[in-house]
Amino acid sequence: MARIAYILLSHKDPDGIIAQAERLTQAGDYIAIHYDARSKREDFDRIRETLKDNPSVVFPARRVKCGWGEWSLVEATLLAVRAAVEAFPRATHFYMLSGDCMPIKTAEFAHAFLDRDEVDYIESFDFFASDWIKTGIKEERLIYRHWFNERGRKWLFYQSIEWQNRLGLARKVPADLRIMIGSQWWCLRRRTIEAVLEFCDRRPDVMRFFRTTWIPDETFFQTIVRHLVPEAEIRTRTLTFLMFTDYGMPVTFYNDHYELLLSQDFLFARKISVDAKELKARLGALYVATGVDFRISGEGQRLFRFLVERGRIGRRFAPRFWERESSIGRERTLMIVTCKKWHVAKRLADRVRAVTGMPAVDYLFNEASTPLPDLGGIQSTLEKRTRHRRALVRMLCDYWQTDKLLFCIDPANIDLMQDFFSDKAQVRLLEIECSFSDDYLIGHARRVGLASEQTPPETMARLLPTIRYDVTFESDRIRDAGFENHYRMKQSASVEENTGPLAEFLGIGAEQAREIAATHYLFVD
């Protein structure tokens, strides 16, 4: 059975470190603790004194003063790893942690997970070919030597790069290494760790190279493991759940994230707020529990992006200016049906075709599978349809030899609506307002990938108000746009109340409009 030696790098919260060590070792695992030499000596002495009688805890022979982005973080890791390898001969895996990490699965689950496959878990993407680095310097991390910390001595950091560039002091990457990059939170098998340590002992040239690279904790282990271990035995992922904001800052978890964290396909999470006492207590008790059944839904990243974007779309940034194509034509009339429940809009379009004979197209710019005639390839993809939307509409009118065309569009596509309303053609908009039950919104969240069948009810309960508001917000944006010829049908209205707006929208008589509005299955979910 797997036995884990945790490699814990920490610099604060001595009480939390003590609790973490006691919790992890209580389940039969081990821990090697490196406490930053920059931190208070009395805090380290308290940690060591409290844990001195625990045989499953070890400390490196010396402490290193650590700095973000510096070699010191790798040096501290290697010191802790060497101490763990020597002290815990029964350890089968070595797992990197920080003081902000907490388990989100039981030890029982973690051991079974690691026993399942004979592999290492470490992110390792090609340094030069991947887009893992989003901002800041890239190649300069490697080809120049870095003696100054960018955070504390910014001018010297960038000036030294400039000096080396001017003097032609760029260096080469070790010829036999393919530099890789990834998260520093890895889990490696014992034989891999032993191979890495042996490599460090026999390759001083590689050690010298990484000592002066920038942010080596994202490249050192990632490169060496990929150099030593067959690709088939590496899973390019971390087992620690972490998310970052658009500004590169880690997302912090609080007390109300418990169910969300447990449903993610990871063993630990980072980073847990120091103030989240209840969350830490619950996760701490979880690790030593047995017989717990986890429902893995793994929607954390998607949920975060969705919730963040709610404050951005149409608010933080101005709407996109779509390219302008030639006019659809003054003599033509476009009728746009918008409805969040696509099946309702499709049924209406189908009834319009049947009752009036008017050409009506389903979600032209939202569904690639929408049936369309062959128009020379312009209709082949959603990207082409959107890019050449006016030309597409003209060609559809020409194909059906009509001056009237109805098509459906999602309420979120207000930029497309604005573009069509700016055309010389006569444009009308019919907004169908539907009722949304919790069950329907849950199904919607699953259909668009925000949730799954395994998403905990507690997570769904917190997500539902945001989804419901999102639907309301889209309707408000349409109203605020002030479109002319904007008509509304409502699920809550009677057939007679819906007949008038529908007749004006379609430009047909009341009798035909009433026949369409009276469709008994129109609003059935």
Side-chain angles (χ1 to χ4, degrees), residues 99-113:
D100 296 322
C101 295
M102 287 290 292
I104 57 174
K105 298 290 184 294
T106 61
E108 181 181 65
F109 182 98
H111 295 158
F113 180 92

mmCIF file of all heavy atoms in Angstrom, residues 99-113:
data_model
loop_
_atom_site.group_PDB
_atom_site.id
_atom_site.type_symbol
_atom_site.label_atom_id
_atom_site.label_comp_id
_atom_site.label_asym_id
_atom_site.label_seq_id
_atom_site.Cartn_x
_atom_site.Cartn_y
_atom_site.Cartn_z
ATOM 1 N N GLY A 99 2.350 25.345 3.301
ATOM 2 C CA GLY A 99 1.599 25.518 4.535
ATOM 3 C C GLY A 99 0.156 25.899 4.300
ATOM 4 O O GLY A 99 -0.672 25.806 5.214
ATOM 5 N N ASP A 100 -0.187 26.336 3.081
ATOM 6 C CA ASP A 100 -1.555 26.734 2.759
ATOM 7 C C ASP A 100 -2.389 25.585 2.197
ATOM 8 O O ASP A 100 -3.549 25.794 1.840
ATOM 9 C CB ASP A 100 -1.545 27.867 1.727
ATOM 10 C CG ASP A 100 -0.897 29.125 2.269
ATOM 11 O OD1 ASP A 100 -1.112 29.425 3.452
ATOM 12 O OD2 ASP A 100 -0.161 29.795 1.510
ATOM 13 N N CYS A 101 -1.799 24.404 2.067
ATOM 14 C CA CYS A 101 -2.512 23.260 1.483
ATOM 15 C C CYS A 101 -3.285 22.492 2.547
ATOM 16 O O CYS A 101 -2.871 22.418 3.703
ATOM 17 C CB CYS A 101 -1.531 22.309 0.796
ATOM 18 S SG CYS A 101 -0.680 23.001 -0.634
ATOM 19 N N MET A 102 -4.398 21.895 2.128
ATOM 20 C CA MET A 102 -5.171 21.013 2.995
ATOM 21 C C MET A 102 -5.683 19.842 2.169
ATOM 22 O O MET A 102 -5.965 19.985 0.977
ATOM 23 C CB MET A 102 -6.363 21.757 3.602
ATOM 24 C CG MET A 102 -5.998 22.765 4.676
ATOM 25 S SD MET A 102 -5.413 21.994 6.209
ATOM 26 C CE MET A 102 -6.907 21.208 6.814
ATOM 27 N N PRO A 103 -5.832 18.664 2.807
ATOM 28 C CA PRO A 103 -6.375 17.508 2.080
ATOM 29 C C PRO A 103 -7.847 17.710 1.768
ATOM 30 O O PRO A 103 -8.593 18.262 2.578
ATOM 31 C CB PRO A 103 -6.166 16.353 3.058
ATOM 32 C CG PRO A 103 -6.124 17.001 4.410
ATOM 33 C CD PRO A 103 -5.487 18.337 4.205
ATOM 34 N N ILE A 104 -8.271 17.260 0.588
ATOM 35 C CA ILE A 104 -9.694 17.301 0.236
ATOM 36 C C ILE A 104 -10.204 15.893 -0.064
ATOM 37 O O ILE A 104 -11.279 15.727 -0.636
ATOM 38 C CB ILE A 104 -9.953 18.244 -0.951
ATOM 39 C CG1 ILE A 104 -9.130 17.855 -2.179
ATOM 40 C CG2 ILE A 104 -9.673 19.686 -0.559
ATOM 41 C CD1 ILE A 104 -9.457 18.684 -3.421
ATOM 42 N N LYS A 105 -9.418 14.904 0.311
ATOM 43 C CA LYS A 105 -9.813 13.500 0.252
ATOM 44 C C LYS A 105 -9.280 12.816 1.504
ATOM 45 O O LYS A 105 -8.388 13.331 2.192
ATOM 46 C CB LYS A 105 -9.248 12.808 -0.997
ATOM 47 C CG LYS A 105 -9.726 13.397 -2.319
ATOM 48 C CD LYS A 105 -11.191 13.107 -2.563
ATOM 49 C CE LYS A 105 -11.648 13.604 -3.934
ATOM 50 N NZ LYS A 105 -11.621 15.074 -4.053
ATOM 51 N N THR A 106 -9.764 11.632 1.775
ATOM 52 C CA THR A 106 -9.254 10.869 2.904
ATOM 53 C C THR A 106 -7.904 10.247 2.562
ATOM 54 O O THR A 106 -7.565 10.078 1.384
ATOM 55 C CB THR A 106 -10.235 9.753 3.281
ATOM 56 O OG1 THR A 106 -10.370 8.864 2.157
ATOM 57 C CG2 THR A 106 -11.601 10.305 3.652
ATOM 58 N N ALA A 107 -7.138 9.888 3.593
ATOM 59 C CA ALA A 107 -5.893 9.161 3.362
ATOM 60 C C ALA A 107 -6.179 7.833 2.678
ATOM 61 O O ALA A 107 -5.423 7.387 1.809
ATOM 62 C CB ALA A 107 -5.175 8.932 4.699
ATOM 63 N N GLU A 108 -7.280 7.215 3.054
ATOM 64 C CA GLU A 108 -7.692 5.952 2.441
ATOM 65 C C GLU A 108 -7.858 6.126 0.931
ATOM 66 O O GLU A 108 -7.373 5.309 0.130
ATOM 67 C CB GLU A 108 -9.008 5.510 3.080
ATOM 68 C CG GLU A 108 -9.574 4.205 2.571
ATOM 69 C CD GLU A 108 -10.890 3.874 3.264
ATOM 70 O OE1 GLU A 108 -11.868 4.629 3.084
ATOM 71 O OE2 GLU A 108 -10.940 2.864 3.993
ATOM 72 N N PHE A 109 -8.521 7.192 0.522
ATOM 73 C CA PHE A 109 -8.725 7.478 -0.903
ATOM 74 C C PHE A 109 -7.394 7.784 -1.582
ATOM 75 O O PHE A 109 -7.115 7.287 -2.685
ATOM 76 C CB PHE A 109 -9.681 8.667 -1.054
ATOM 77 C CG PHE A 109 -10.005 9.019 -2.474
ATOM 78 C CD1 PHE A 109 -11.179 8.573 -3.065
ATOM 79 C CD2 PHE A 109 -9.139 9.807 -3.231
ATOM 80 C CE1 PHE A 109 -11.490 8.900 -4.383
ATOM 81 C CE2 PHE A 109 -9.438 10.131 -4.546
ATOM 82 C CZ PHE A 109 -10.609 9.679 -5.122
ATOM 83 N N ALA A 110 -6.552 8.600 -0.937
ATOM 84 C CA ALA A 110 -5.262 8.993 -1.527
ATOM 85 C C ALA A 110 -4.364 7.783 -1.753
ATOM 86 O O ALA A 110 -3.723 7.640 -2.797
ATOM 87 C CB ALA A 110 -4.570 10.016 -0.628
ATOM 88 N N HIS A 111 -4.304 6.886 -0.763
ATOM 89 C CA HIS A 111 -3.452 5.694 -0.901
ATOM 90 C C HIS A 111 -3.945 4.802 -2.038
ATOM 91 O O HIS A 111 -3.146 4.303 -2.844
ATOM 92 C CB HIS A 111 -3.455 4.921 0.416
ATOM 93 C CG HIS A 111 -2.831 5.677 1.538
ATOM 94 N ND1 HIS A 111 -3.099 5.409 2.865
ATOM 95 C CD2 HIS A 111 -1.952 6.714 1.551
ATOM 96 C CE1 HIS A 111 -2.416 6.228 3.635
ATOM 97 N NE2 HIS A 111 -1.710 7.036 2.848
ATOM 98 N N ALA A 112 -5.263 4.613 -2.104
ATOM 99 C CA ALA A 112 -5.818 3.778 -3.182
ATOM 100 C C ALA A 112 -5.578 4.421 -4.547
ATOM 101 O O ALA A 112 -5.294 3.732 -5.535
ATOM 102 C CB ALA A 112 -7.315 3.560 -2.943
ATOM 103 N N PHE A 113 -5.689 5.740 -4.603
ATOM 104 C CA PHE A 113 -5.456 6.448 -5.861
ATOM 105 C C PHE A 113 -4.025 6.250 -6.343
ATOM 106 O O PHE A 113 -3.776 5.959 -7.521
ATOM 107 C CB PHE A 113 -5.748 7.943 -5.659
ATOM 108 C CG PHE A 113 -5.543 8.780 -6.890
ATOM 109 C CD1 PHE A 113 -6.594 9.032 -7.758
ATOM 110 C CD2 PHE A 113 -4.299 9.321 -7.189
ATOM 111 C CE1 PHE A 113 -6.415 9.804 -8.903
ATOM 112 C CE2 PHE A 113 -4.101 10.084 -8.328
ATOM 113 C CZ PHE A 113 -5.163 10.324 -9.180
#
